[in-house]
Coordinates of all heavy atoms in Angstrom, one line a residue:
Chain O
S458 N 8.2 -5.3 19.7 CA 9.6 -5.4 19.3 C 10.0 -6.8 19.3 O 10.8 -7.2 18.5 CB 10.4 -4.6 20.3 OG 10.3 -5.3 21.6
P464 N 12.9 -7.6 8.5 CA 13.2 -6.2 8.3 C 12.9 -5.8 6.8 O 12.9 -6.7 6.0 CB 14.6 -6.0 8.6 CG 15.2 -7.4 8.6 CD 14.1 -8.3 9.0
V466 N 14.6 -4.7 4.5 CA 15.6 -5.1 3.5 C 15.2 -6.4 2.9 O 15.3 -6.7 1.7 CB 17.0 -5.2 4.2 CG1 18.0 -5.6 3.2 CG2 17.4 -3.8 4.7
D470 N 14.6 -7.9 -1.3 CA 15.3 -8.9 -2.1 C 14.5 -10.1 -2.4 O 15.0 -11.0 -3.1 CB 16.7 -9.2 -1.4 CG 16.6 -10.1 -0.2 OD1 15.6 -10.8 0.0 OD2 17.5 -10.2 0.6
S489 N -1.8 -1.0 24.0 CA -1.4 0.4 23.8 C -2.0 1.2 24.9 O -2.1 2.4 24.9 CB -1.8 0.9 22.5 OG -1.2 2.2 22.2
F491 N -1.1 1.7 28.1 CA -0.3 2.3 29.2 C 0.8 3.2 28.7 O 1.6 2.8 27.8 CB 0.2 1.2 30.1 CG -1.0 0.4 30.6 CD1 -1.4 -0.7 30.0 CD2 -1.6 0.9 31.8 CE1 -2.5 -1.3 30.5 CE2 -2.7 0.2 32.2 CZ -3.1 -0.9 31.6
R492 N 1.0 4.2 29.5 CA 2.3 4.9 29.5 C 2.9 4.4 30.8 O 2.2 4.1 31.7 CB 2.1 6.4 29.6 CG 1.1 6.9 28.5 CD 1.8 7.9 27.7 NE 0.9 8.4 26.7 CZ 1.1 9.5 26.0 NH1 2.2 10.2 26.2 NH2 0.3 9.9 25.1
T581 N -6.9 3.2 22.5 CA -6.3 3.2 21.2 C -5.7 1.8 20.9 O -4.9 1.3 21.7 CB -5.2 4.2 21.0 OG1 -5.7 5.4 21.5 CG2 -4.8 4.4 19.6
L582 N -6.1 1.2 19.8 CA -5.5 -0.1 19.5 C -4.0 0.0 19.2 O -3.6 1.0 18.6 CB -6.3 -0.8 18.4 CG -7.7 -1.1 18.7 CD1 -8.5 -1.5 17.5 CD2 -7.8 -2.2 19.8
P584 N -0.3 -0.5 17.4 CA 0.0 -0.6 16.0 C 0.1 -2.1 15.6 O 0.4 -2.9 16.4 CB 1.4 0.0 15.9 CG 1.8 0.5 17.2 CD 0.7 0.1 18.2
L637 N -19.8 4.7 18.9 CA -18.7 5.0 17.9 C -17.4 4.4 18.4 O -16.7 3.8 17.7 CB -18.6 6.5 17.8 CG -17.9 7.0 16.5 CD1 -18.6 6.5 15.3 CD2 -17.8 8.5 16.5
K674 N -25.3 3.6 10.0 CA -24.6 4.6 9.3 C -23.1 4.5 9.6 O -22.2 4.6 8.7 CB -25.1 6.0 9.6 CG -24.7 7.0 8.5 CD -25.5 8.3 8.7 CE -24.6 9.3 9.5 NZ -25.3 10.5 10.0
N678 N -19.8 3.7 7.1 CA -18.6 4.5 7.0 C -17.4 3.7 7.2 O -16.4 3.8 6.5 CB -18.6 5.7 8.1 CG -19.6 6.8 7.7 OD1 -20.0 6.9 6.5 ND2 -19.9 7.6 8.6
L681 N -16.9 1.7 4.0 CA -16.5 2.6 2.8 C -15.0 2.9 3.0 O -14.3 2.9 2.0 CB -17.3 3.9 2.8 CG -18.8 3.6 2.3 CD1 -19.6 4.9 2.5 CD2 -18.8 3.2 0.8
C682 N -14.7 3.3 4.2 CA -13.3 3.6 4.5 C -12.4 2.4 4.2 O -11.3 2.5 3.6 CB -13.2 4.0 5.9 SG -11.5 4.3 6.4
F685 N -12.4 1.8 0.2 CA -11.8 2.8 -0.7 C -10.6 3.5 -0.1 O -9.9 4.2 -0.8 CB -12.9 3.8 -1.0 CG -14.0 3.3 -1.8 CD1 -15.3 3.2 -1.3 CD2 -13.8 2.8 -3.1 CE1 -16.4 2.6 -2.0 CE2 -14.8 2.2 -3.8 CZ -16.1 2.2 -3.3
E686 N -10.3 3.3 1.2 CA -9.2 4.0 1.7 C -8.1 3.1 2.2 O -6.9 3.2 1.8 CB -9.6 5.0 2.8 CG -10.4 6.2 2.2 CD -10.9 7.2 3.2 OE1 -10.5 7.0 4.4 OE2 -11.5 8.2 2.9
Q717 N -29.5 1.5 -1.0 CA -28.2 2.1 -1.3 C -27.1 1.4 -0.6 O -26.0 1.2 -1.1 CB -28.3 3.6 -0.8 CG -27.1 4.4 -1.3 CD -27.2 5.8 -0.7 OE1 -27.4 6.0 0.5 NE2 -26.9 6.8 -1.5
K721 N -24.1 0.3 -2.9 CA -22.9 1.2 -2.8 C -21.9 0.8 -1.7 O -20.8 1.3 -1.7 CB -23.4 2.6 -2.5 CG -24.2 3.2 -3.6 CD -23.7 4.6 -3.9 CE -24.4 5.2 -5.1 NZ -23.8 6.4 -5.6
K767 N -10.2 -10.2 -12.2 CA -9.6 -10.4 -13.5 C -8.4 -11.2 -13.4 O -8.0 -11.9 -14.4 CB -9.3 -9.0 -14.1 CG -10.5 -8.2 -14.3 CD -10.3 -7.1 -15.3 CE -11.6 -6.4 -15.6 NZ -12.3 -6.1 -14.4
K801 N -22.4 -14.7 -20.4 CA -21.2 -14.3 -21.1 C -20.0 -14.5 -20.1 O -18.9 -15.0 -20.4 CB -21.2 -12.9 -21.5 CG -21.9 -12.8 -22.9 CD -22.0 -11.4 -23.3 CE -22.8 -11.3 -24.6 NZ -23.4 -10.0 -24.8
R898 N -10.8 -4.1 -37.3 CA -10.5 -3.1 -36.2 C -9.0 -2.6 -36.3 O -8.8 -1.4 -36.2 CB -10.7 -3.8 -34.9 CG -10.2 -3.0 -33.7 CD -10.5 -3.6 -32.3 NE -11.9 -3.8 -32.2 CZ -12.5 -5.0 -32.2 NH1 -11.8 -6.1 -32.3 NH2 -13.8 -5.1 -32.1
W902 N -7.7 1.3 -36.8 CA -6.8 2.1 -35.9 C -5.6 2.5 -36.7 O -5.0 3.6 -36.4 CB -6.4 1.2 -34.7 CG -7.5 1.2 -33.7 CD1 -8.3 0.2 -33.4 CD2 -7.9 2.3 -32.9 NE1 -9.2 0.6 -32.4 CE2 -9.0 1.9 -32.1 CE3 -7.4 3.6 -32.8 CZ2 -9.6 2.7 -31.2 CZ3 -8.1 4.5 -31.8 CH2 -9.1 4.0 -31.1
K904 N -5.4 3.3 -39.8 CA -5.8 4.4 -40.7 C -5.9 5.7 -39.8 O -5.5 6.8 -40.2 CB -7.2 4.2 -41.4 CG -7.0 3.3 -42.6 CD -8.4 3.2 -43.3 CE -8.4 2.1 -44.3 NZ -9.8 1.7 -44.6
L905 N -6.5 5.5 -38.6 CA -6.6 6.6 -37.7 C -5.3 7.2 -37.4 O -5.1 8.4 -37.3 CB -7.3 6.2 -36.4 CG -8.8 6.4 -36.4 CD1 -9.3 6.0 -35.1 CD2 -9.1 7.9 -36.6
E906 N -4.3 6.3 -37.1 CA -3.0 6.8 -36.7 C -2.3 7.6 -37.9 O -1.7 8.6 -37.7 CB -2.1 5.6 -36.3 CG -2.1 5.5 -34.8 CD -1.8 4.1 -34.3 OE1 -0.9 3.5 -34.9 OE2 -2.5 3.6 -33.4
L908 N -3.9 9.1 -40.1 CA -4.6 10.4 -40.2 C -4.1 11.4 -39.1 O -3.8 12.6 -39.4 CB -6.1 10.2 -39.9 CG -7.0 11.4 -40.0 CD1 -7.1 11.8 -41.4 CD2 -8.4 11.1 -39.5
E909 N -3.8 10.8 -38.0 CA -3.3 11.7 -36.9 C -1.9 12.3 -37.3 O -1.7 13.5 -37.1 CB -3.0 10.8 -35.6 CG -2.5 11.6 -34.4 CD -2.5 10.7 -33.2 OE1 -2.4 9.4 -33.4 OE2 -2.5 11.2 -32.1
R912 N -2.6 14.9 -39.9 CA -3.2 16.0 -39.3 C -2.2 16.8 -38.5 O -2.2 18.1 -38.6 CB -4.3 15.5 -38.4 CG -5.2 16.6 -37.8 CD -6.1 17.2 -38.9 NE -7.1 16.4 -39.5 CZ -8.3 16.2 -39.0 NH1 -8.6 16.8 -37.8 NH2 -9.2 15.4 -39.6
Q915 N -0.4 18.8 -40.9 CA -1.2 19.9 -41.5 C -1.4 21.0 -40.4 O -1.3 22.2 -40.8 CB -2.6 19.3 -41.8 CG -3.3 19.9 -42.9 CD -4.5 19.0 -43.3 OE1 -5.2 18.5 -42.5 NE2 -4.6 18.8 -44.6
Chain Z
G104 N -8.4 21.3 -42.0 CA -8.4 19.8 -42.2 C -9.7 19.2 -41.8 O -9.7 18.0 -41.6
D109 N -12.8 13.0 -42.5 CA -13.6 12.6 -41.4 C -14.7 11.7 -41.9 O -15.2 10.8 -41.1 CB -14.2 13.8 -40.8 CG -13.1 14.7 -40.2 OD1 -12.2 15.0 -41.0 OD2 -13.2 15.1 -39.1
Y112 N -14.3 8.1 -41.4 CA -14.3 7.5 -40.0 C -15.5 8.1 -39.2 O -15.3 8.9 -38.4 CB -13.0 7.8 -39.3 CG -11.8 7.5 -40.1 CD1 -11.1 8.5 -40.8 CD2 -11.5 6.1 -40.4 CE1 -10.0 8.1 -41.6 CE2 -10.4 5.8 -41.2 CZ -9.7 6.8 -41.8 OH -8.7 6.5 -42.6
L117 N -16.2 4.8 -34.3 CA -15.3 5.1 -33.2 C -16.1 4.8 -31.8 O -15.6 4.2 -30.9 CB -14.8 6.5 -33.2 CG -14.0 6.8 -34.4 CD1 -13.7 8.3 -34.5 CD2 -12.7 6.0 -34.4
E120 N -16.4 1.4 -31.0 CA -15.2 0.9 -30.3 C -15.2 1.2 -28.8 O -14.8 0.4 -28.0 CB -13.9 1.5 -31.0 CG -13.6 0.9 -32.3 CD -13.1 -0.6 -32.1 OE1 -11.9 -0.7 -31.6 OE2 -13.8 -1.5 -32.4
N123 N -17.3 -1.3 -27.1 CA -17.0 -2.8 -27.4 C -17.2 -3.6 -26.1 O -16.9 -3.1 -25.0 CB -15.6 -2.9 -27.9 CG -15.5 -4.3 -28.5 OD1 -15.6 -5.3 -27.9 ND2 -15.2 -4.3 -29.8
E124 N -17.7 -4.8 -26.3 CA -18.0 -5.7 -25.1 C -16.7 -6.0 -24.3 O -16.7 -6.2 -23.1 CB -18.6 -7.0 -25.7 CG -19.8 -7.4 -25.1 CD -20.4 -8.6 -25.8 OE1 -19.8 -9.6 -25.7 OE2 -21.4 -8.4 -26.5
L128 N -10.5 -3.9 -25.2 CA -10.7 -3.1 -26.4 C -11.2 -1.7 -26.1 O -10.7 -0.7 -26.6 CB -11.6 -3.8 -27.4 CG -11.0 -5.1 -28.0 CD1 -12.0 -5.8 -28.9 CD2 -9.7 -4.8 -28.8
K135 N -6.6 5.8 -26.7 CA -6.4 6.5 -28.0 C -7.4 7.6 -28.2 O -7.6 8.0 -29.3 CB -6.5 5.5 -29.2 CG -5.6 4.3 -29.1 CD -4.4 4.5 -30.1 CE -3.5 3.3 -29.9 NZ -2.8 3.0 -31.2
T138 N -6.5 10.4 -30.4 CA -6.5 10.1 -31.8 C -7.9 10.3 -32.3 O -8.1 10.9 -33.4 CB -6.0 8.7 -32.1 OG1 -4.8 8.5 -31.3 CG2 -5.8 8.4 -33.5
L141 N -8.8 13.9 -32.5 CA -8.1 14.5 -33.6 C -8.7 14.2 -34.9 O -8.9 15.1 -35.8 CB -6.6 14.0 -33.6 CG -5.5 15.0 -34.1 CD1 -5.6 16.2 -33.2 CD2 -4.2 14.3 -33.9
A142 N -9.2 13.0 -35.1 CA -9.8 12.6 -36.3 C -11.2 13.3 -36.5 O -11.6 13.7 -37.6 CB -10.1 11.1 -36.3
E163 N -16.3 0.3 -16.4 CA -15.3 -0.3 -15.5 C -14.3 0.8 -15.0 O -14.0 1.7 -15.8 CB -14.4 -1.3 -16.3 CG -15.2 -2.4 -16.9 CD -14.9 -3.7 -16.1 OE1 -14.0 -3.8 -15.3 OE2 -15.7 -4.7 -16.3
E201 N -17.1 6.1 -7.2 CA -16.7 5.5 -5.9 C -15.2 5.2 -5.8 O -14.6 5.5 -4.9 CB -17.5 4.2 -5.6 CG -18.6 4.4 -4.7 CD -19.9 4.6 -5.5 OE1 -19.8 4.5 -6.8 OE2 -20.9 5.0 -4.9
T203 N -11.6 5.2 -5.6 CA -10.7 6.3 -5.2 C -9.7 6.7 -6.3 O -9.5 7.9 -6.5 CB -9.9 6.0 -3.9 OG1 -10.8 5.2 -3.1 CG2 -9.5 7.2 -3.2
W241 N -23.8 12.1 -2.3 CA -22.9 11.0 -1.8 C -21.6 11.5 -1.5 O -21.1 12.5 -2.0 CB -22.9 10.0 -3.0 CG -22.3 8.7 -2.6 CD1 -21.2 8.1 -3.2 CD2 -22.8 7.7 -1.7 NE1 -21.0 6.9 -2.7 CE2 -21.9 6.6 -1.7 CE3 -23.8 7.7 -0.7 CZ2 -22.0 5.5 -0.9 CZ3 -24.0 6.6 0.1 CH2 -23.1 5.5 0.0
D284 N -20.7 14.8 8.1 CA -20.9 13.7 9.0 C -20.3 12.4 8.6 O -20.3 11.4 9.3 CB -22.4 13.5 9.4 CG -23.2 13.0 8.2 OD1 -22.7 13.1 7.1 OD2 -24.4 12.6 8.4
P286 N -16.7 10.5 8.0 CA -15.3 10.8 8.2 C -14.5 10.9 7.0 O -13.5 11.5 7.0 CB -14.9 9.6 9.1 CG -16.0 8.6 8.9 CD -17.2 9.3 8.5
M287 N -14.9 10.2 5.9 CA -14.2 10.3 4.6 C -14.0 11.7 4.2 O -12.9 12.2 3.7 CB -14.8 9.5 3.5 CG -14.8 8.0 3.7 SD -15.9 7.4 4.9 CE -17.4 7.3 4.0
R290 N -11.8 13.8 6.4 CA -10.4 13.5 6.2 C -9.9 14.3 5.0 O -8.8 14.8 5.0 CB -10.2 12.0 5.9 CG -10.0 11.2 7.2 CD -9.4 9.8 6.9 NE -10.4 8.9 6.3 CZ -11.3 8.2 7.0 NH1 -11.3 8.3 8.3 NH2 -12.2 7.4 6.5
E323 N -13.4 13.3 16.6 CA -13.5 12.1 17.4 C -12.7 11.0 16.7 O -12.3 10.0 17.4 CB -14.9 11.7 17.6 CG -15.7 11.5 16.4 CD -17.2 11.7 16.6 OE1 -17.6 12.0 17.7 OE2 -18.0 11.5 15.6
K362 N -4.1 10.9 22.5 CA -4.1 9.5 23.1 C -3.9 8.5 22.0 O -3.6 7.3 22.3 CB -5.4 9.3 23.8 CG -6.7 9.3 22.9 CD -7.9 9.0 23.9 CE -9.2 8.7 23.1 NZ -9.7 9.6 22.2
W364 N -1.7 6.8 19.1 CA -0.3 6.8 18.7 C -0.2 7.3 17.2 O 0.8 7.8 16.8 CB 0.3 5.5 18.9 CG -0.4 4.4 18.0 CD1 -1.4 3.6 18.4 CD2 0.0 4.0 16.7 NE1 -1.7 2.7 17.4 CE2 -0.9 2.9 16.4 CE3 1.0 4.4 15.8 CZ2 -0.8 2.3 15.1 CZ3 1.0 3.8 14.6 CH2 0.1 2.8 14.2
R367 N 0.3 11.0 17.3 CA 1.7 11.3 17.8 C 2.7 11.0 16.7 O 3.7 11.7 16.5 CB 1.9 10.6 19.1 CG 1.0 10.9 20.2 CD 1.5 10.4 21.6 NE 1.8 9.0 21.6 CZ 1.0 8.0 21.9 NH1 -0.3 8.3 22.2 NH2 1.4 6.8 22.0
E402 N 4.9 3.8 22.2 CA 4.8 3.0 21.0 C 6.1 3.1 20.2 O 6.6 4.2 19.9 CB 3.6 3.4 20.1 CG 2.3 3.1 20.7 CD 2.1 1.6 20.9 OE1 2.8 0.8 20.3 OE2 1.1 1.2 21.6
E404 N 6.5 2.6 17.1 CA 6.3 3.4 15.8 C 6.6 4.9 16.0 O 7.2 5.5 15.1 CB 4.8 3.2 15.4 CG 4.6 2.1 14.4 CD 4.7 0.7 15.1 OE1 4.8 0.7 16.3 OE2 4.6 -0.3 14.4
T444 N 14.2 -1.6 23.0 CA 13.9 -3.0 22.7 C 13.5 -3.2 21.3 O 13.4 -4.4 20.9 CB 12.7 -3.4 23.6 OG1 11.7 -2.4 23.5 CG2 13.2 -3.5 25.1
N445 N 13.2 -2.2 20.6 CA 12.7 -2.4 19.2 C 13.8 -2.1 18.2 O 14.5 -1.1 18.2 CB 11.5 -1.5 19.0 CG 10.9 -1.7 17.6 OD1 11.5 -1.4 16.6 ND2 9.7 -2.2 17.6
E486 N 21.0 -4.5 10.5 CA 20.6 -3.2 9.9 C 21.2 -2.1 10.8 O 21.6 -1.0 10.2 CB 19.1 -3.1 9.8 CG 18.5 -3.8 8.7 CD 18.4 -5.2 8.9 OE1 18.5 -5.6 10.1 OE2 18.2 -6.0 8.0
R525 N 22.9 -8.2 1.0 CA 22.9 -6.7 0.9 C 23.7 -6.0 1.9 O 24.3 -5.0 1.7 CB 21.4 -6.2 1.0 CG 20.7 -6.3 -0.3 CD 19.2 -5.9 -0.1 NE 18.4 -6.5 -1.2 CZ 18.4 -5.9 -2.4 NH1 19.0 -4.8 -2.6 NH2 17.6 -6.4 -3.3

Side-chain angles (χ1 to χ4, degrees):
Chain O
S458 66
V466 178
D470 75 19
S489 190
F491 299 92
R492 308 236 184 168
T581 310
L582 294 169
L637 200 60
K674 202 168 92 192
N678 286 342
L681 288 169
C682 174
F685 295 113
E686 292 182 0
Q717 190 184 45
K721 296 224 173 193
K767 300 199 173 47
K801 274 179 189 159
R898 170 173 304 110
W902 281 109
K904 279 185 196 162
L905 264 179
E906 265 154 43
L908 184 68
E909 182 175 21
R912 190 65 69 84
Q915 213 167 42
Chain Z
D109 301 46
Y112 311 104
L117 297 171
E120 282 291 286
N123 197 300
E124 232 173 67
L128 291 176
K135 300 255 180 151
T138 311
L141 213 55
E163 300 252 348
E201 261 91 9
T203 324
W241 191 239
D284 66 348
M287 288 77 82
R290 273 195 286 278
E323 59 203 0
K362 66 180 195 300
W364 63 269
R367 300 196 304 273
E402 288 301 343
E404 266 73 3
T444 46
N445 184 292
E486 280 78 16
R525 279 173 199 280

